[in-house]
């Protein structure tokens, strides 16, 4: 999981131990998931810890659904029923 987390972070070597542990934990959660639903506020996407988790999901070939405040609940339900 450390390799998965580090390869998908552009400045891994600059992170402190606590940040690395947090991102490794996220990699563990994503790797054991069938799919990922992420909330996106505003126009910024794939940033921060959420962005890192989405990069891991993409690298693992996981299905990803991005939703925002205007998300159609039927779209989320359809995604969950895949």
């Amino acid at each position: 999981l450390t390799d998965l987390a580090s390869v998908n972070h552009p400045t891994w070597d600059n992170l402190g131990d606590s940040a690395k542990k947090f991102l490794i934990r996220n990699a563990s959660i994503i790797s054991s998931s069938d799919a990922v639903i992420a909330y996106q506020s505003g126009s910024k996407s794939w940033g921060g810890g959420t962005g890192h988790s989405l990069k891991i999901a993409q690298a693992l070939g996981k299905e990803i659904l991005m939703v925002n405040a205007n998300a159609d609940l039927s779209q989320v339900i359809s995604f969950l029923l895949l």
Side-chain angles (χ1 to χ4, degrees):
L1 291 174
T2 300
D3 289 341
L4 184 60
S6 65
V7 165
N8 287 286
H9 196 283
T11 58
W12 182 261
D13 292 333
N14 296 336
L15 299 175
D17 289 342
S18 295
K20 288 178 180 178
K21 288 177 184 176
F22 177 74
L23 296 174
I24 292 167
R25 183 210 58 165
N26 287 353
S28 175
I29 293 168
I30 296 298
S31 67
S32 65
S33 301
D34 294 326
V36 176
I37 299 174
Y39 179 80
Q40 172 184 342
S41 64
S43 61
K44 183 179 177 184
S45 65
W46 294 59
T50 301
H52 181 254
S53 295
L54 293 172
K55 288 174 188 173
I56 290 171
Q58 187 175 46
L60 294 173
K62 305 287 184 176
E63 293 288 331
I64 300 171
L65 174 64
M66 297 294 294
V67 298
N68 60 31
N70 300 318
D72 181 354
L73 187 56
S74 64
Q75 180 186 16
V76 176
I77 291 170
S78 294
F79 182 80
L80 292 172
L81 295 175
L82 287 178

